[in-house]
């Protein structure tokens, strides 16, 4: 039996007694503060190692009444209700942690407006926050934010999409390339000949790197496994229903033989609505467990929805900041969400 198991009550008082020093001296060593000789520090650390002592950080926080402030910077749910799910997870984590003196502040930006993101960044940086959870929808602007955080030593976690090469604590979300690759496999199973239409719907398309990485995965599958199906791509930069309808009218009139459509984000319902109005029956694949998408899944207009636990992303994001900023964990790996395939037959049993 290890000494740590034999000594469940082992703590700072016992370390001080064994090292023949004061409790204050032990506390200095535990918190890496100055004022302790190297010989004394070594003696204390040897005892800590021998007895496998781990300080009760939660109890210390409660005793000190320290408040940690975490900021959340995510899109608002004005145009798509996708972000209601991560927000629900964030609220769940905030409620679980508030007893430990952790406060979560929320900042929302418009997915169609880079300037709104920058404005919210300024508001976040005005606050003395201990950590940041951010959805980096705009790459260059997210990189600027990361630089500010690095300079101010603010730990940050990315959710839903990643910006590689930054000093984030970790990324929590889907593996975007593999997600697109999976969509292509589903399409390959469903469509044996003809053309496949790949649809990106986003006003700020140049910034939406996560859509482009899904596209890379989609194309990579067909390059490797089935070069017979021709991929046709369309970028729709106006997200209102009339603009989407006009763009789809144009591509379907110009491109004959389209048998399947892959929409790279949650706006697959807009294409489904078009199919319903025009009486079109094609294989339709898109993303996310949203009410409007489920409606068209039930109707058989959408065949597959790829879902990646957005509520869990929000929950894990706050918990990861807590682990890093409060519990001082430093080895935190990226957390990839499962790639779930939701159909008309199984959606009733799926939870975000």
């Amino acid at each position: 039996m290890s000494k740590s198991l034999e000594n469940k009550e082992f703590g700072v008082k016992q370390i001080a007694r064994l090292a023949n020093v004061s409790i204050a001296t032990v506390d200095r060593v535990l918190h890496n503060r100055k004022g302790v000789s190297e010989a004394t520090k070594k003696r204390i650390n040897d005892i800590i190692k021998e007895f496998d002592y781990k300080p009760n950080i939660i109890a210390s926080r409660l005793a000190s009444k320290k408040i940690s402030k975490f900021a959340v910077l995510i899109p608002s749910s004005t145009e798509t209700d996708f972000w209601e799910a991560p927000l629900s997870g964030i609220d769940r984590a905030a409620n679980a942690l508030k007893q430990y003196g952790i406060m979560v502040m929320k900042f929302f930006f418009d997915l169609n407006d880079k300037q709104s993101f920058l404005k919210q960044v300024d508001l976040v940086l005005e606050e003395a926050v201990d950590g940041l959870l951010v959805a980096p929808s705009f790459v260059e602007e997210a990189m600027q934010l990361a630089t500010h955080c690095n300079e101010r030593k603010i730990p940050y976690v990315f959710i839903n999409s990643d910006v590689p090469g930054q000093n984030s604590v970790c990324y929590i979300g889907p593996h975007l390339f593999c997600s697109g690759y999976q969509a292509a496999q589903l399409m390959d199973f469903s469509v044996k000949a003809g053309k496949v239409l790949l649809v990106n719907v986003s006003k700020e398309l140049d910034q939406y790197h996560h859509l482009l990485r899904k596209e890379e995965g989609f194309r990579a599958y067909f390059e490797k496994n089935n070069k017979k199906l021709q991929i046709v791509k369309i970028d729709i930069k106006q997200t209102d229903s009339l603009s989407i309808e006009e763009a789809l009218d144009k591509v379907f009139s110009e491109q004959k033989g389209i048998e399947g459509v892959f929409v790279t984000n949650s706006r697959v319902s807009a294409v489904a609505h078009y199919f319903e109005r025009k009486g079109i029956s094609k294989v339709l694949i898109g993303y996310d467990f949203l009410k409007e998408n489920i409606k068209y899944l039930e109707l058989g207009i959408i065949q597959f929805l790829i879902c990646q636990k957005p509520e869990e992303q929000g929950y894990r994001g706050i918990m990861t900041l807590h682990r890093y900023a409060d519990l001082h964990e430093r080895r935190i790996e990226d957390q990839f969400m499962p790639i779930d395939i939701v159909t008309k037959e199984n959606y009733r049993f799926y939870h975000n």
Side-chain angles (χ1 to χ4, degrees), residues 194-252:
K195 298 177 182 178
V196 173
L197 176 63
L198 188 151
V199 182
N200 292 315
V201 184
S202 170
K203 284 186 179 179
E204 294 283 358
L205 195 63
D206 293 341
Q207 299 292 327
Y208 268 32
H209 59 296
H210 63 282
L211 302 187
L212 302 180
R213 286 164 71 187
K214 291 175 186 175
E215 179 183 331
E216 288 172 7
F218 190 81
R219 291 182 181 277
Y221 173 89
F222 285 108
E223 288 172 6
K224 182 178 180 181
N225 297 285
N226 185 349
K227 297 182 180 179
K228 294 179 182 178
L229 283 178
Q230 179 185 344
I231 300 174
V232 178
K233 176 185 172 182
I234 179 173
D235 294 332
I236 304 177
K237 296 187 178 183
Q238 296 300 320
T239 58
D240 61 282
S241 58
L242 179 59
S243 296
I244 291 172
E245 181 172 333
E246 289 176 349
L248 291 173
D249 276 342
K250 186 173 187 294
V251 73
F252 275 106

Side-chain angles (χ1 to χ4, degrees), residues 320-339:
T320 298
L321 283 176
H322 170 55
R323 287 167 54 199
Y324 187 91
D326 299 321
L327 304 183
H328 310 304
E329 291 187 32
R330 289 297 179 265
R331 288 177 160 267
I332 300 178
E333 302 291 333
D334 288 346
Q335 301 170 51
F336 291 110
M337 295 293 101
I339 300 174

Side-chain angles (χ1 to χ4, degrees), residues 3-131:
K3 290 186 177 182
S4 61
L5 292 176
E6 292 173 347
N7 296 276
K8 292 181 180 178
E9 302 302 321
F10 189 80
V12 174
K13 287 183 180 179
Q14 288 77 10
I15 295 172
R17 179 174 56 80
L18 289 171
N20 196 25
V21 297
S22 68
I23 291 174
T25 300
V26 176
D27 188 67
R28 286 192 190 96
V29 173
L30 287 172
H31 293 90
N32 200 27
R33 290 197 287 265
K34 296 179 180 179
V36 183
S37 70
E38 288 302 318
T40 301
K41 187 184 296 184
K42 183 179 185 306
R43 190 160 71 249
I44 291 171
N45 282 327
D46 286 346
I47 293 169
I48 288 171
K49 185 176 180 180
E50 180 183 0
F51 285 86
D52 193 25
Y53 170 71
K54 293 180 175 61
N56 189 334
I57 297 172
I58 294 299
S60 298
R61 284 185 57 82
L62 291 173
S64 68
K65 297 183 180 178
K66 180 182 183 295
I67 299 293
S68 288
K69 290 199 298 185
F70 297 150
V72 171
L73 180 57
I74 61 173
S76 61
S77 299
T78 52
E79 190 169 341
T80 170
D81 57 356
F82 170 82
W83 288 99
E84 291 178 6
L87 187 59
S88 176
I90 288 162
D91 287 340
R92 182 158 56 94
N95 287 332
L97 293 175
K98 65 182 178 181
Q99 62 181 313
Y100 303 122
I102 292 163
M103 181 173 69
V104 177
M105 308 167 65
K106 301 165 192 168
F107 299 83
F108 301 97
F109 62 89
D110 184 347
L111 268 174
N112 298 314
D113 183 6
K114 285 186 285 189
Q115 292 305 314
S116 75
F117 180 85
L118 292 172
K119 183 178 179 181
Q120 293 302 308
V121 165
D122 288 340
L123 294 175
V124 168
L125 294 176
E126 286 176 7
E127 300 286 343
V129 298
D130 299 290

Side-chain angles (χ1 to χ4, degrees), residues 106-345:
K106 301 165 192 168
F107 299 83
F108 301 97
F109 62 89
D110 184 347
L111 268 174
N112 298 314
D113 183 6
K114 285 186 285 189
Q115 292 305 314
S116 75
F117 180 85
L118 292 172
K119 183 178 179 181
Q120 293 302 308
V121 165
D122 288 340
L123 294 175
V124 168
L125 294 176
E126 286 176 7
E127 300 286 343
V129 298
D130 299 290
L132 172 63
L133 179 65
V134 58
S137 299
F138 307 110
V139 180
E140 291 183 10
E141 289 72 17
M143 290 173 68
Q144 293 171 21
L145 172 58
T147 299
H148 289 309
C149 288
N150 293 335
E151 290 171 350
R152 301 177 188 213
K153 293 182 167 47
I154 301 170
Y156 53 97
V157 171
F158 290 136
I159 61 167
N160 194 56
S161 61
D162 194 12
V163 182
Q166 306 306 302
N167 191 34
S168 63
V169 173
C170 73
Y171 162 62
I172 302 171
H175 191 295
L176 299 169
F177 181 92
C178 290
S179 171
Y181 199 93
Q182 177 66 79
Q185 186 180 44
L186 292 172
M187 190 67 76
D188 192 25
F189 288 159
S190 306
V191 176
K192 298 305 178 186
K195 298 177 182 178
V196 173
L197 176 63
L198 188 151
V199 182
N200 292 315
V201 184
S202 170
K203 284 186 179 179
E204 294 283 358
L205 195 63
D206 293 341
Q207 299 292 327
Y208 268 32
H209 59 296
H210 63 282
L211 302 187
L212 302 180
R213 286 164 71 187
K214 291 175 186 175
E215 179 183 331
E216 288 172 7
F218 190 81
R219 291 182 181 277
Y221 173 89
F222 285 108
E223 288 172 6
K224 182 178 180 181
N225 297 285
N226 185 349
K227 297 182 180 179
K228 294 179 182 178
L229 283 178
Q230 179 185 344
I231 300 174
V232 178
K233 176 185 172 182
I234 179 173
D235 294 332
I236 304 177
K237 296 187 178 183
Q238 296 300 320
T239 58
D240 61 282
S241 58
L242 179 59
S243 296
I244 291 172
E245 181 172 333
E246 289 176 349
L248 291 173
D249 276 342
K250 186 173 187 294
V251 73
F252 275 106
S253 65
E254 293 176 351
Q255 297 286 344
K256 303 302 180 184
I258 293 174
E259 298 300 329
V261 178
F262 169 49
V263 183
T264 56
N265 62 8
S266 61
R267 290 189 172 102
V268 62
S269 60
V271 178
H273 177 69
Y274 173 82
F275 279 13
E276 183 181 40
R277 278 175 42 81
K278 301 285 185 175
I280 296 173
S281 178
K282 308 287 183 187
V283 175
L284 181 56
I285 300 171
Y287 283 85
D288 300 324
F289 197 78
L290 308 182
K291 292 177 183 177
E292 194 73 3
N293 291 347
I294 294 302
K295 180 182 82 171
Y296 288 111
L297 196 70
E298 288 178 324
L299 291 172
I301 296 174
I302 295 175
Q303 279 69 47
F304 301 105
L305 286 175
I306 297 174
C307 304
Q308 292 153 334
K309 304 279 185 193
E311 182 176 342
E312 185 70 11
Q313 290 181 42
Y315 178 82
R316 288 195 192 187
I318 294 299
M319 287 301 187
T320 298
L321 283 176
H322 170 55
R323 287 167 54 199
Y324 187 91
D326 299 321
L327 304 183
H328 310 304
E329 291 187 32
R330 289 297 179 265
R331 288 177 160 267
I332 300 178
E333 302 291 333
D334 288 346
Q335 301 170 51
F336 291 110
M337 295 293 101
I339 300 174
D340 297 326
I341 301 168
V342 178
T343 68
K344 181 179 181 180
E345 288 69 33

